[in-house]
Amino acid sequence: MSKKLSLDKILQSQGFGTRKWCAEVIADGEVSINGSVVDDSRVSIDTDGLQFTIFDELWTYHEHVYIALNKPANYECSRKASHHPGVLKLLPEQFDRRDVQPVGRLDHDTRGLLLMSDDGPFIHRQSSPKYHVPKIYVATTHAAVSDELVAALLHGVQLNDEPAPLAAVSCRRVGEYQIEIVLAEGKYHQVKRMLAAAGNHCVALQRAQIGKLTLTELGLAEGDWCYLSAAQRALLVAD
Ligand code: URA
């Protein structure tokens, strides 16, 4: 739906700074649209498909942002990171100002696909256990993967503080020390705790896929991110 907003409000909504700061930058002639400087911050502009240049950098207006990040190890998913830098450090600083947050959590030492957004209902839907969006992980184990390990993870293992055993949606051996495991829930340290409960130990963990959205198809190098299109977001479903 097309929406008209004043230019200072547009820049503020995209996380560039306070409305006052944005108005000053506009008055200084630092903002252009279609190659022409717009120095009146109150001019009303259609945000639909809007592209603008600020400090010589081209930006596209997004009412909300939906981001896929290939998270490296040693970054924390919390907004108030304590022992390691937060994942927001891997994105342009505008995203932090517009309250972009991780959708769910990966442990600081887990790598792979992490969604981030500033759309509250989207974050809620993706994190809600009601929607059961499957998450696919590749776990490297300390001891060789046995048939019994795979069988136990498929059958269900009892974790402390859980009322009932938790089972993988699917699980298969993909290397001597590697399994691919699909989970429907997102409990705290779930893969690591399930592997420990099944008598092995997780030494490295990567999230490879959420719903039908795969890290491989996104082609993101570690630490890189991209916007998700509506078609890509439509892949974030149970089936
Ligand atoms: N399970 C874990 O143990 N850690 C993660 O980061 C994600 C799933």
Side-chain angles (χ1 to χ4, degrees):
M1 199 178 54
S2 112
K3 189 159 102 181
K4 282 192 152 195
L5 288 175
S6 62
L7 187 55
D8 54 353
K9 272 197 183 163
I10 289 177
L11 294 191
Q12 185 189 20
S13 74
Q14 302 302 287
F16 284 94
T18 62
R19 195 162 166 195
K20 182 165 176 281
W21 184 89
C22 294
E24 282 169 12
V25 166
I26 295 163
D28 285 347
E30 298 289 358
V31 182
S32 320
I33 298 174
N34 297 330
S36 306
V37 170
V38 182
D39 59 8
D40 179 354
S41 60
R42 286 154 311 168
V43 67
S44 185
I45 290 168
D46 192 343
T47 56
D48 196 21
L50 173 67
Q51 292 201 312
F52 56 91
T53 304
I54 175 164
F55 298 123
D56 296 323
E57 209 180 325
L58 184 67
W59 283 82
T60 299
Y61 174 88
H62 293 274
E63 183 170 3
H64 288 296
V65 288
Y66 306 92
I67 287 162
L69 170 72
N70 185 354
K71 178 192 172 297
N74 299 322
Y75 281 85
E76 288 183 16
C77 280
S78 57
R79 278 187 62 86
K80 289 224 176 342
S82 49
H83 298 297
H84 301 278
V87 284
L88 262 307
K89 288 269 178 279
L90 295 163
L91 306 180
E93 60 183 350
Q94 286 80 358
F95 292 161
D96 199 0
R97 273 194 230 109
R98 62 183 289 179
D99 227 14
V100 167
Q101 29 189 304
V103 179
R105 298 265 182 274
L106 288 178
D107 298 334
H108 82 272
D109 53 353
T110 301
R111 304 162 193 269
L113 182 55
L114 178 69
L115 305 179
M116 302 182 75
S117 181
D118 60 352
D119 179 351
F122 170 81
I123 296 172
H124 177 73
R125 214 171 35 249
Q126 284 300 317
S127 333
S128 164
K130 257 199 329 211
Y131 291 90
H132 294 299
V133 181
K135 316 269 184 335
I136 302 184
Y137 297 89
V138 176
T140 306
T141 55
H142 175 71
V145 175
S146 60
D147 291 344
E148 291 73 28
L149 175 76
V150 173
L153 294 170
L154 284 170
H155 179 260
V157 288
Q158 184 62 53
L159 304 184
N160 291 341
D161 307 331
E162 287 300 328
L166 291 178
V169 174
S170 70
C171 181
R172 63 189 181 101
R173 182 180 184 272
V174 289
E176 193 180 352
Y177 292 90
Q178 231 165 31
I179 55 165
E180 182 193 81
I181 179 167
V182 184
L183 299 182
E185 315 88 354
K187 310 262 184 201
Y188 182 66
H189 292 334
Q190 189 172 341
V191 174
K192 293 174 185 166
R193 290 196 298 149
M194 284 178 72
L195 273 167
N200 205 317
H201 177 70
C202 180
V203 294
L205 187 58
Q206 188 206 30
R207 182 152 69 190
Q209 187 170 337
I210 300 175
K212 297 189 184 70
L213 183 73
T214 71
L215 196 53
T216 312
E217 277 168 47
L218 288 168
L220 292 172
E222 213 167 74
D224 282 356
W225 64 274
C226 65
Y227 291 108
L228 289 178
S229 65
Q232 288 168 324
R233 295 202 305 277
L235 299 173
L236 300 167
V237 288
D239 232 336

